[in-house]
Amino acid sequence: MAEIGFTLMCEQTPAKELVEDAVAAERTGFDYAVISDHYFPWLEEMGHSPYAWSVLGAVAQATERLPLMTYVTCPIMRYHPAVVAQKAATMGVLSDGRFTLGVGAGENLNEHVVGHGWPPVNTRHEMFREAIEVIKELFQGGYRNYRGEYFDLDSARLFDLPERPVPIAVAASGEQSVDIAAELGDGLVSTDPDRSLVEKYAASGGEGKPVYGQLAVCYDPDRDAAIERAHRMWRWAVTGWKVMSELPAPVNFAAATETVRPQDVAEKVPCGADVDAVVEAVRQYTEAGFTHLALVQVGRERQREFFEWSEKELLPALRDL
């Protein structure tokens, strides 16, 4: 059975409420928590996007046992990888070793804000590989130098390191990125239950390492209300990664999803209060080889009720899977 996590969704929730959600997730019995790291929400209707790393620091102090993870941070443009390494190491210390650094090659939506343009995907993967190498260098301690095509280190050192290096989980969606994940990462991150990707990861050197996934659900006692909310807040996810990584702003996601129907979203997002529907969706991930799966409750209107439902019905059913 996969470990079941909870997603702290910055794009739909104010910062203080995210900390409260983390405490509630720990109390409810979720196995771990992940947090998104965006500059923008995908859609204006989502309404929020606080700085994930500030929230993480607060969450580390507000929780006791809950493992924490970025899902995911991009270390190639908005942040220099040396800064990501420092942030991650500090989180490792603050959380007493409960933190995993999840990294990905990023989305135009968040990275264009620094004004450096948006490179083609092959270039992004080259930058991504270098960025992970920089982070791993700094995690070793001592003064470090690095000369790459895209990133340099000049006598850099992290003075505050956790007792053990922070694990790095690497997001992948195709052959290039899965090779990077297998070579340089301590785990794989993927949003879709793609068995072939997991098998490729294992064959390339990732055998036995954790595989992290994510599943959106929209709990509401009224299924029609759940479908309406999922469509209003989550229709951007129907576009697929090749579109999601390229669009620059919420207005573009709104335009790209004008023809997405409520039933299109409901086919991908279990809506309502049907435990069996969520169990079957989770089963797709476990059968594909995922060891960890973080749930996202779409919208904050029913967040408290979602925790109650999860504690009483959903988590017991998933643990019987």
Side-chain angles (χ1 to χ4, degrees), residues 8-46:
L8 303 168
M9 204 69 188
C10 288
E11 297 75 28
Q12 66 179 19
T13 310
K16 287 186 177 180
E17 197 171 309
L18 287 166
V19 180
E20 295 169 1
D21 288 347
V23 173
E26 182 174 69
R27 183 174 59 245
T28 299
F30 283 95
D31 297 315
Y32 67 104
V34 305
I35 188 166
S36 56
D37 183 4
H38 269 222
Y39 200 89
F40 285 109
W42 286 277
L43 297 168
E44 294 281 352
E45 293 95 324
M46 299 181 81

Side-chain angles (χ1 to χ4, degrees), residues 37 39 73-79 105-118:
D37 183 4
Y39 200 89
T73 284
C74 175
I76 69 171
M77 294 187 70
R78 185 168 38 124
Y79 309 134
E107 300 171 63
N108 192 9
L109 177 68
N110 305 299
E111 307 310 314
H112 81 271
V113 297
V114 295
H116 295 161
W118 186 232

Side-chain angles (χ1 to χ4, degrees), residues 264-310:
D264 297 327
V265 181
E267 287 176 4
K268 292 181 173 292
V269 178
C271 293
D274 185 354
V275 169
D276 291 340
V278 180
V279 169
E280 287 308 307
V282 169
R283 192 191 304 276
Q284 295 180 41
Y285 285 87
T286 59
E287 291 181 350
F290 284 72
T291 62
H292 295 69
L293 186 65
L295 304 183
V296 182
Q297 163 63 5
V298 176
R300 35 189 292 258
E301 296 93 326
R302 293 286 186 176
Q303 195 69 270
R304 299 278 79 77
E305 295 94 333
F306 170 78
F307 284 128
E308 293 172 3
W309 178 65
S310 295

Side-chain angles (χ1 to χ4, degrees), residues 208-239:
K209 296 179 181 179
V211 179
Y212 296 88
Q214 189 176 62
L215 173 68
V217 302
C218 192
Y219 169 78
D220 197 298
D222 182 339
R223 187 169 187 270
D224 289 338
I227 292 173
E228 184 280 327
R229 186 167 71 249
H231 178 257
R232 173 167 44 88
M233 301 283 284
W234 212 258
R235 64 188 185 274
W236 55 269
V238 177
T239 59

